[in-house]
Amino acid sequence: MREEQMVPMIPRQTVNMTDVAQRCGVSIASVSRALRGEPGVSPATRDRIMSAARELAYVVSPEASRLSGGSTGRVGVVVPRIDAWFYATVLAGVAGEFDAVGVDLVLCTLPDSSARHRFFEALPLRRKVDAVIIVSVPLSARERTRLDQLGVPTVQVGGHHPTGGRPWVGIDDELAASQAVGHLLRIGHRDIAMIQAVDQEGTAWAADEARIRGFHDQMTAAGVAEPTVVRVPWGIDGGAHGMETLLSRSRLPSAVFCHSDEIALGALRTLRKAGVAVPQQISVIGVDDHPSAELSELTTVAQPVREQGRLAAVSVLGALQDDGGAMPARTTLPTRLVIRNSTAPPH
Amino acid sequence: MREEQMVPMIPRQTVNMTDVAQRCGVSIASVSRALRGEPGVSPATRDRIMSAARELAYVVSPEASRLSGGSTGRVGVVVPRIDAWFYATVLAGVAGEFDAVGVDLVLCTLPDSSARHRFFEALPLRRKVDAVIIVSVPLSARERTRLDQLGVPTVQVGGHHPTGGRPWVGIDDELAASQAVGHLLRIGHRDIAMIQAVDQEGTAWAADEARIRGFHDQMTAAGVAEPTVVRVPWGIDGGAHGMETLLSRSRLPSAVFCHSDEIALGALRTLRKAGVAVPQQISVIGVDDHPSAELSELTTVAQPVREQGRLAAVSVLGALQDDGGAMPARTTLPTRLVIRNSTAPPH
């Protein structure tokens, strides 16, 4: 992945190719060719250059190598944010694979639509990385084109299925929602509400839309045409608000499907404060299997998160080795119903 | 921080200084000088070079600039792991500041002692970054020396106080423990056990040791010479095991000080499963104010985590602007007791 470094103990690069060229009385181009083992330098000159380089403790750097078309030894990873369990866990999966082979991880966060806009217009990773892993970020047609213009392999984790053969690793979010709602239907619930998490800027996130679709499809199939829906911002507080809204209505549904475990954890907090017994008075189910789900005895649909990051890293590293030849198109990882104590048949 | 890039739409660098030099019939050194605005090139030649560069869509790269002693535009951030709330939140604080000024974040994870050993022996960040932020990682004398040998500004977040004037941002972990134990003592507890989190490889982490010291000092001052102590691995499961150990003994303490909120959350899980009422039969307190602490109504000592990352980034960026001149030595952020429903006077 990276050129050998010749001298291990220089605190910082102070010597450059110009110094080596001056010492030998040759051109910088000759130094460059000699250090990279390219033709066009006589053996005698090459020897002189190599010994001058050693003498001056010149360190062949990844950057120098890269200017001549080599690799940077770096891969960019783009996430909406870091301080959320899902993204941090995907990142940990990526980092584990990169560490094993000595690839550097350049981290980009795109917390809002203006950051995303800046990122895709300026392409700050251009010419700095050998490949890019992009996690969950919603992509417009123009943004996909801009990603392609990076000219390096890119792999998507979650979000929209890519067009044009970009590799993708994720789960089937519609299926995950169906698994959750199917569980509630099977144990006898019909009056099922959904607390939907929506982007406050109005951006359509593929995973959100797929989970909403999965909910409505299941409810329609069960003969419930217009189930109750509450829309809230992402996160625990959003879930808490969503449940407050449901509690403020004349009649409580018998079960609530929450967009994610964080929404469900907030909903449980509101129910506990309001003295509503779970699952006796209301069943609550989420999606994710967040570490706090077990603590709160939350029934959920588990997705393998670290594994998504790991497989994306494996895919990218494979593409770099094979020069882009052999990335699998789509890897859909399985999700799994985990039944705990927050769901029970309606009384 | 970074050279202006001249052309925004080239998918990938295919043109280099050699091409520009050939087009103009000048040396690579002249191209380099002209593009960087250095003296030694006549105005006429400079004009020719600039227009050839534009014609060839040559992009001045940070790497090229750096080989001539410029900066990389990158800062390394070293964390033990990413998929833990504390580290992910510190990282988010760092990333926010870096994004604002366009500095790239190179992320290194050192999950165990062998990874730490490899990191400090090989110094993989050497010559790749302008500065390093190192979060919580325990440092031996040799490792501190190796960090200095990176030859770039370094800032520590948490962990041991640095020697030799390296800037440090963190909390007073001993004080945080005292605030927690002091609360238990004030409301009347004397039979207070501690569930201590220890590194399974036996590494001494400064924050852990400080919290243990804070506990023992408070207990000694309250006249309890040898309080009950249980040692467990970090994390929720560790806390759950720790509480199982306490429950297996003949007599339950009236209160438990947990090394961190994750330990406390595990302890609460065990107590709930065992049907032991909190706080009626036992009080539980943690340290951190983890997002799940509020959900579990856990009394804790809150620390500002994102702010530690943000201040470390500000410190590093200041050092890069001032050429290392003006980093504050130590920034100790305040911690704060947050009383919820997991603590009450002993009955």
Side-chain angles (χ1 to χ4, degrees):
Chain A
M1 194 55 54
R2 192 177 299 162
E3 293 263 332
E4 204 58 47
Q5 298 195 333
M6 292 167 65
V7 179
M9 288 295 295
I10 301 292
R12 195 168 195 190
Q13 178 80 351
T14 47
V15 174
N16 62 30
M17 277 203 236
T18 312
D19 301 305
V20 178
Q22 278 175 352
R23 170 72 68 112
C24 301
V26 299
S27 71
I28 294 173
S30 298
V31 174
S32 169
R33 276 194 290 272
L35 291 175
R36 282 187 275 119
E38 286 176 6
V41 191
S42 74
T45 306
R46 186 182 307 276
D47 283 353
R48 253 192 318 138
I49 290 169
M50 295 308 279
S51 84
R54 268 192 298 275
E55 226 172 285
L56 290 167
Y58 178 78
V59 181
V60 176
S61 75
E63 280 76 14
S65 142
R66 171 153 196 284
L67 283 176
S68 59
S71 74
T72 64
R74 294 188 290 272
V75 172
V77 182
V78 183
V79 293
R81 49 187 289 204
I82 311 165
D83 55 341
W85 163 77
F86 179 84
Y87 303 118
T89 309
V90 168
L91 261 179
V94 172
E97 291 300 309
F98 284 6
D99 284 349
V101 294
V103 164
D104 291 330
L105 192 166
V106 177
L107 183 61
C108 292
T109 46
L110 305 179
D112 53 34
S113 62
S114 75
R116 288 198 299 274
H117 180 78
R118 281 198 308 276
F119 177 83
F120 286 107
E121 291 311 310
L123 292 182
L125 288 176
R126 194 167 50 101
R127 306 193 54 240
K128 293 178 185 170
V129 295
D130 301 329
V132 171
I133 295 175
I134 186 153
V135 184
S136 301
V137 175
L139 297 174
S140 67
R142 164 151 180 86
E143 288 164 349
R144 288 168 203 226
T145 304
R146 293 295 286 159
L147 264 191
D148 291 338
Q149 285 172 342
L150 278 171
V152 296
T154 56
V155 173
Q156 271 179 248
V157 178
H160 287 282
H161 282 167
T163 53
R166 183 176 300 133
W168 180 93
V169 180
I171 61 163
D172 183 336
D173 283 288
E174 195 170 328
L175 175 63
S178 301
Q179 289 172 312
V181 179
H183 167 65
L184 296 175
L185 290 168
R186 260 194 315 281
I187 60 178
H189 292 278
R190 287 298 174 275
D191 187 8
I192 305 170
M194 178 174 180
I195 303 181
Q196 300 179 350
V198 294
D199 186 308
Q200 292 196 272
E201 295 178 321
T203 305
W205 290 61
D208 298 0
E209 295 189 323
R211 291 182 191 182
I212 291 170
R213 221 162 37 234
F215 169 69
H216 284 290
D217 287 356
Q218 283 283 309
M219 294 304 284
T220 304
V224 184
E226 291 196 356
T228 303
V229 162
V230 175
R231 290 187 184 82
V232 298
W234 284 323
I236 291 172
D237 290 336
H241 275 294
M243 187 54 80
E244 284 164 13
T245 305
L246 289 174
L247 286 176
S248 72
R249 296 186 179 172
S250 56
R251 214 171 48 82
L252 204 59
S254 71
V256 180
F257 167 52
C258 296
H259 170 272
S260 70
D261 283 357
E262 280 170 306
I263 295 287
L265 292 168
L268 290 176
R269 184 177 71 188
T270 295
L271 290 168
R272 195 186 53 228
K273 286 184 180 171
V276 178
V278 176
Q280 294 80 3
Q281 293 174 267
I282 190 168
S283 285
V284 176
I285 192 166
V287 175
D288 275 346
D289 206 18
H290 188 285
S292 293
E294 195 199 342
L295 287 174
S296 296
E297 303 187 72
L298 176 67
T299 298
T300 190
V301 173
Q303 63 166 321
V305 180
R306 193 183 171 100
E307 185 67 1
Q308 292 177 59
R310 199 187 69 77
L311 288 177
V314 166
S315 177
V316 142
L317 295 173
L320 292 177
Q321 275 173 351
D322 301 333
D323 216 10
M327 289 204 278
R330 282 188 196 182
T331 307
T332 305
L333 294 176
T335 50
R336 180 177 56 89
L337 180 67
V338 179
I339 300 173
R340 298 200 180 96
N341 289 328
S342 69
T343 52
H347 60 265
Chain B
M1 195 54 57
R2 190 179 303 160
E3 293 261 335
E4 207 56 49
Q5 298 196 333
M6 293 166 62
V7 179
M9 287 296 295
I10 301 293
R12 194 170 195 186
Q13 176 82 351
T14 46
V15 174
N16 62 29
M17 278 202 235
T18 311
D19 302 306
V20 178
Q22 276 175 354
R23 171 72 68 113
C24 303
V26 300
S27 71
I28 295 173
S30 298
V31 173
S32 168
R33 276 194 290 271
L35 291 175
R36 281 188 275 119
E38 286 176 7
V41 191
S42 75
T45 305
R46 186 183 307 275
D47 284 352
R48 254 194 315 139
I49 290 170
M50 296 309 279
S51 83
R54 270 192 298 273
E55 226 173 284
L56 289 167
Y58 177 78
V59 181
V60 177
S61 76
E63 280 75 14
S65 143
R66 169 154 197 282
L67 284 175
S68 59
S71 74
T72 64
R74 292 188 292 273
V75 171
V77 181
V78 184
V79 293
R81 49 185 289 203
I82 312 165
D83 55 340
W85 164 77
F86 180 83
Y87 303 120
T89 308
V90 169
L91 261 179
V94 172
E97 291 300 309
F98 284 7
D99 284 350
V101 294
V103 164
D104 291 330
L105 192 166
V106 177
L107 184 61
C108 291
T109 46
L110 305 179
D112 54 32
S113 62
S114 75
R116 288 198 299 274
H117 181 77
R118 280 197 308 275
F119 177 84
F120 287 107
E121 291 312 309
L123 292 183
L125 288 177
R126 193 168 51 101
R127 305 192 53 241
K128 293 177 184 170
V129 295
D130 301 330
V132 172
I133 294 174
I134 187 154
V135 184
S136 300
V137 175
L139 297 173
S140 67
R142 164 150 180 86
E143 289 163 349
R144 289 168 202 226
T145 305
R146 292 295 286 159
L147 265 192
D148 291 338
Q149 286 172 343
L150 278 170
V152 296
T154 56
V155 172
Q156 271 178 248
V157 177
H160 288 282
H161 283 167
T163 52
R166 182 175 301 134
W168 179 93
V169 179
I171 61 164
D172 182 336
D173 283 288
E174 194 170 329
L175 174 64
S178 300
Q179 289 172 311
V181 179
H183 168 65
L184 296 175
L185 290 167
R186 260 193 314 280
I187 60 178
H189 292 278
R190 286 298 174 274
D191 186 7
I192 305 169
M194 178 175 180
I195 304 181
Q196 301 180 349
V198 293
D199 187 308
Q200 292 196 272
E201 294 179 320
T203 305
W205 290 62
D208 298 1
E209 295 189 320
R211 291 182 191 181
I212 291 170
R213 222 163 35 237
F215 169 70
H216 284 290
D217 286 356
Q218 284 283 309
M219 294 303 284
T220 303
V224 184
E226 291 197 359
T228 302
V229 163
V230 175
R231 290 187 183 82
V232 297
W234 283 325
I236 291 172
D237 290 335
H241 275 293
M243 187 54 79
E244 284 164 15
T245 304
L246 288 174
L247 287 176
S248 71
R249 296 187 179 170
S250 55
R251 214 172 48 83
L252 204 59
S254 71
V256 179
F257 167 52
C258 296
H259 170 272
S260 70
D261 284 356
E262 280 169 307
I263 294 287
L265 292 169
L268 289 177
R269 184 176 73 189
T270 295
L271 290 168
R272 196 186 53 229
K273 286 183 180 171
V276 178
V278 176
Q280 293 79 4
Q281 291 175 269
I282 189 168
S283 286
V284 176
I285 193 168
V287 175
D288 274 344
D289 206 18
H290 188 284
S292 292
E294 194 199 343
L295 287 174
S296 297
E297 303 186 73
L298 176 67
T299 298
T300 189
V301 174
Q303 64 167 319
V305 180
R306 192 182 172 101
E307 185 68 1
Q308 292 176 61
R310 198 187 71 76
L311 289 177
V314 166
S315 178
V316 142
L317 294 173
L320 292 177
Q321 275 174 351
D322 303 333
D323 218 9
M327 289 204 279
R330 283 188 196 182
T331 308
T332 305
L333 295 176
T335 50
R336 178 176 59 89
L337 179 66
V338 179
I339 300 174
R340 298 199 180 97
N341 289 326
S342 69
T343 50
H347 58 264

